[in-house]
Every structure is written in structure tokens, then in C-alpha cells.
Amino acid sequence: MSMNKDSLPNIGTMMTAEVDGLSIRYAKGGATSGTPILLMSPWPESIYSFHSVLPELTTKNPVILIDLPGFGRSQSRPEVMAPEAMGDFIIALFRQLGIARAHVVAPDVGTPAVLFAAAKRPELFESLVVGGAAMRADLAAGVLKDLIYSPPGALANIDGADGVKDYLALAAQLTPPAIIEDFRAASSGRRFEEAAQFVRGYLIDSPKLETKLSSISTPALIMYGKSDPIVPSENGRFLADRLPHNRHLPLDAGHRVWEEAATEYAKALVAWFDGDYRSMNSDRIVERFSSAS
């Protein structure tokens, strides 16, 4: 998406909605008919994370980009900052926005939340695109593993914008400055500490989610970076071994696969929504690709 490096791109009509007492930022665009595609922002980023892939998605489907509670620029509350509770919030979000059924793209922290939601309310989900999230605490690495095991309040006395400084410096090699500033604001003040509580919740919720994965009938595309330094590829394989109807697509990228491999990521999304997801049937399907081949 072309843009001035000093201004935010047009990702649709920016809006807020009150859902379960929280102000949620989202954007709407794309076609006026068809099954909606919901994109849920990764951490510590925002709905602008998808600026590179969005143009490929807006021609055939309505598109809604959502900052989940505590992420991006949406409000937070302690009770929703854990994977299962966030999954319940996603169900409430569908109801609030009047969405009967949708495709959902939920990388990173969105993955465990939407999987919990799909296990509870499968009729809401046409398909899922997931990946790049630690599926067990011991499968995380680097700073993410440190955050999972950090005690509550460990980051309360720092400005969260400083806490994500190194991450954003690396992200800025590809992402325009105006978007980096939106990411920085997403973690400022106590927001980084509040968001960290979500990944601390993996310790309790990940074992519960593991028992539900085999019951999730929704077709799932699992995409992540093969060289992700904080969520190693074992996490993607963990999902591929357990979700009954999945396509497994590791890409040549690190953690920010939606930006580092934007062309391949967008191409896979378009093919998936154009009908590839319908090839997932009652027989377990796992396809392994290498973008290097």
C-alpha cells in the first residue's frame, strides 16, 4: 500500500466500538458483500501491521482489522488478558459487530485466543489463519519466554515504549516511521505490563488449549516464519500435528512474517480465501511447503 512515510496509510474507515465495557479500535474496508475477513493485530504492534498485505484482500471480501483488548490502541481490563478469556471476548466481539460468520487472521497473540473461541463456537468461523504464537511455555524462546515467566508487575515501573524499543528498532528496517509510532503508542506507559499479563496466562491456559485442538473442525492455515527467534518453528508443527484440518506453511522470515514475507503471506491468504480452505475435509490434511524450494 503506497503511503507517505510520515503519515499512516489508509487501512479503511477507522472506528471504535464499546465491547464488554471496553473501547476497541478497528477499521472497516473492502468489498460490500461476501464473507468478512477479520485481522487481529499482533503484539507489540497494531492493526497497521497488515498494511502490506491488506490491498490483496479488499477486492472480494469485507475486511475488518481489530486491535484486541490491551493490544494496539484498544482498552484493556485484567479479566480479559489471558488466552481463554480473550477467546470469550472474541465471541462477544462477533455479537457486538453483528458478524454471523467470518474468516479470521490471528497471528501471534491472536492465535491461542481465536483457537479457544473456535473450540467453543465453531459456527462463527469459516476458516482460521494462525501461527507465530507459543503453544506451550517451554516452546517459547528469547524475550518472549522471559515475559511468560516474569512475575505480575515486573514491568509496571517502566515506560512500555522503552520496553519495546529494540523490537521496534528492528521493525523499522521494513515498516514506515508513522506506523512504528503507532506501535510505540500501543505499548506506552503501563500498556506493556498489561499486555504481558496475556502471555503470562499461557502457563495456565496452554495446557487447557492443547486438549481442545483435536476437536477444532474449522479449516486452519498455519503460517509463521521459519527463523522466528522468539516463537521457534516447533510451535507451528505443534499445531499442525493437532489441528484436524490444516495446511502448514512455514515461510522464509523471522517473527514478523506478515511484513518480512509480505508478498508470500498475501499470496497465501488470497489463495486460501479464494477457496483453498474448502479442500480441508474429514481426512486430516497437512501440507508442508518450503518457500526456499
Side-chain angles (χ1 to χ4, degrees):
M1 179 175 290
S2 62
M3 61 174 286
N4 184 308
K5 67 182 180 64
D6 296 320
S7 62
L8 287 166
N10 178 10
I11 59 171
T13 303
M14 299 296 295
M15 308 175 77
T16 59
E18 184 171 309
V19 184
D20 195 22
L22 295 173
S23 178
I24 301 301
R25 182 177 74 166
Y26 68 105
K28 295 182 69 173
T32 57
S33 62
T35 303
I37 300 171
L38 275 61
L39 297 99
M40 298 179 178
S41 61
W43 180 50
E45 302 190 12
S46 78
I47 51 178
Y48 286 100
S49 299
F50 301 109
H51 74 105
S52 294
V53 303
L54 190 61
E56 304 298 328
L57 303 180
T58 55
T59 58
K60 297 181 180 179
N61 299 76
V63 175
I64 304 174
L65 301 99
I66 299 167
D67 280 336
L68 290 173
F71 303 113
R73 306 297 293 274
S74 290
Q75 286 184 333
S76 179
R77 186 172 62 238
E79 292 79 10
V80 301
M81 297 307 293
E84 184 170 16
M86 191 69 77
D88 292 339
F89 183 89
I90 290 170
I91 293 169
L93 179 71
F94 271 63
R95 182 170 59 249
Q96 181 70 30
L97 297 183
I99 299 169
R101 190 170 175 88
H103 299 286
V104 174
V105 181
D108 192 63
V109 290
T111 289
V114 79
L115 288 172
F116 268 114
K120 295 180 180 184
R121 294 289 304 276
E123 74 278 6
L124 295 177
F125 301 96
E126 185 76 8
S127 77
L128 306 174
V129 181
V130 294
M135 300 315 301
R136 286 198 326 234
D138 63 301
L139 293 180
V143 65
L144 176 59
K145 192 167 188 176
D146 293 340
L147 289 169
I148 291 171
Y149 287 100
S150 67
L155 308 170
N157 294 325
I158 69 167
D159 183 341
D162 292 332
V164 297
K165 182 169 56 177
D166 291 344
Y167 180 97
L168 296 185
L170 185 62
Q173 296 178 17
L174 291 174
T175 303
I179 295 179
I180 293 296
E181 286 307 308
D182 192 70
F183 294 171
R184 193 185 319 278
S187 291
S188 65
R190 287 183 55 89
R191 289 183 61 84
F192 190 49
E193 163 61 29
E194 293 167 355
Q197 193 59 27
F198 181 91
V199 296
R200 294 179 187 124
Y202 288 7
L203 294 170
I204 293 174
D205 284 0
S206 293
K208 292 190 290 184
L209 180 58
E210 183 174 354
T211 67
K212 299 178 182 297
L213 294 176
S214 63
S215 70
I216 296 174
S217 59
T218 307
L221 174 60
I222 304 165
M223 282 200 293
Y224 58 90
K226 291 188 288 187
S227 303
D228 191 330
I230 61 173
V231 184
S233 58
E234 287 83 356
N235 292 276
R237 291 194 292 270
F238 182 96
L239 285 177
D241 289 341
R242 289 164 176 81
L243 289 172
H245 312 302
N246 77 78
R247 178 163 293 161
H248 180 208
L249 181 55
L251 297 176
D252 279 332
H255 182 67
R256 305 180 69 237
V257 63
W258 49 87
E259 185 83 295
E260 297 171 30
T263 299
E264 296 83 358
Y265 196 84
K267 181 179 178 181
L269 290 177
V270 169
W272 180 254
F273 299 136
D274 275 354
D276 279 3
Y277 75 95
R278 294 192 181 96
S279 68
M280 307 294 102
N281 54 35
S282 58
D283 297 321
R284 190 173 185 279
I285 298 176
V286 178
E287 296 185 5
R288 300 184 184 277
F289 297 87
S290 171
S291 58
S293 62

